[in-house]
Amino acid sequence: MVVVRSALWGALIGTLLMGALTTVIDVSTPSDTDSSVFITFIAIAFVSFLFGGIPGAVVGTVVGAIRNAVRQPRHVPPPMYHPPVPQQPYDMWSDLVERCAESTRRVSAAVQTVPNSPAKEWLQRITEKLVTELDDVRGIAQLGRALGAVDRQHPVYQRLLKATHDFHAFENEVGRVALQMFDHPELDEARTHLEVLEKQLPQLSA
């Protein structure tokens, strides 16, 4: 409705302005021929509507469309509801288990980089035992949870903490032996290093 009114007002104003301009031009222009007032009025009305009314209607339509868009309320999407993420209670046991698991993964990745040889096969057999020790680590953590232990001085926690140090030390030793095996992959050259490494394997289940 706003657009229609604006278009009509634009056509009317444009016609009137063009009619006034055309009339002024017609009156101020001398003419040798006499034409009837009716014909002059029709000609002025036609010119006014053609060159004033139609452009005025176009301008009025544009203005009306803008006003109509401004008046209409913008659609604001409702805020998205995100359910709160449940907070998991802190578990001091999981942190230690994950540290041992990280060492196990790094040891496995380090062994894969060693050149293929009988010495590497021996090294793989040694490091595979670390997976069994990791299962024991998880069992100790479960024991701590079952006892409801929250004191870091608790014997179960202290044993698990020592296990993380043992796993880390074993990880460093595997890296040292693997580096030596790059230069000396022969079994005779690596035998001593592998025997020492085997003795340093964490023995939680012993």
Side-chain angles (χ1 to χ4, degrees), residues 4-203:
V4 175
R5 284 201 301 267
S6 296
L8 293 177
W9 275 108
L12 178 60
I13 294 173
T15 300
L16 292 176
L17 291 176
M18 184 56 68
L21 179 62
T22 305
T23 301
V24 170
I25 294 174
D26 182 70
V27 171
S28 61
T29 302
S31 177
D32 296 333
T33 60
D34 294 331
S35 57
S36 65
V37 177
F38 178 74
I39 295 176
T40 301
F41 175 78
I42 294 299
I44 292 175
F46 178 76
V47 172
S48 301
F49 178 76
L50 183 62
F51 295 100
I54 295 177
V58 174
V59 174
T61 301
V62 174
V63 173
I66 295 174
R67 291 176 60 192
N68 189 51
V70 171
R71 286 184 178 181
Q72 289 183 354
R74 296 181 179 179
H75 176 68
V76 180
M80 296 183 65
Y81 173 73
H82 297 283
V85 178
Q87 297 294 326
Q88 297 293 333
Y90 173 72
D91 183 7
M92 64 181 185
W93 307 103
S94 296
D95 180 55
L96 298 181
V97 172
E98 181 58 28
R99 286 162 60 181
C100 294
E102 280 289 337
S103 292
T104 304
R105 287 191 288 268
R106 284 192 288 264
V107 165
S108 178
V111 172
Q112 296 304 317
T113 64
V114 177
N116 291 329
S117 66
K120 178 181 179 179
E121 295 176 2
W122 188 0
L123 179 62
Q124 285 178 322
R125 289 194 298 270
I126 295 173
T127 56
E128 284 171 359
K129 297 178 182 178
L130 197 62
V131 177
T132 303
E133 300 300 324
L134 182 60
D135 290 337
D136 292 335
V137 166
R138 295 191 176 99
I140 295 173
Q142 284 294 97
L143 174 62
R145 295 189 189 97
L147 295 175
V150 294
D151 183 8
R152 296 179 184 274
Q153 300 304 318
H154 194 282
V156 177
Y157 186 87
Q158 289 298 314
R159 183 175 182 186
L160 195 57
L161 184 62
K162 181 181 181 302
T164 62
H165 294 311
D166 292 343
F167 270 68
H168 185 67
F170 184 75
E171 174 190 341
N172 291 336
E173 188 63 21
V174 168
R176 185 184 68 80
V177 172
L179 182 60
Q180 292 173 341
M181 290 175 63
F182 268 98
D183 299 327
H184 304 286
E186 298 81 10
L187 183 58
D188 291 339
E189 294 286 343
R191 183 183 301 276
T192 301
H193 303 302
L194 292 173
E195 290 175 348
V196 172
L197 180 64
E198 198 165 22
K199 294 177 181 179
Q200 293 186 352
L201 182 70
Q203 299 292 330

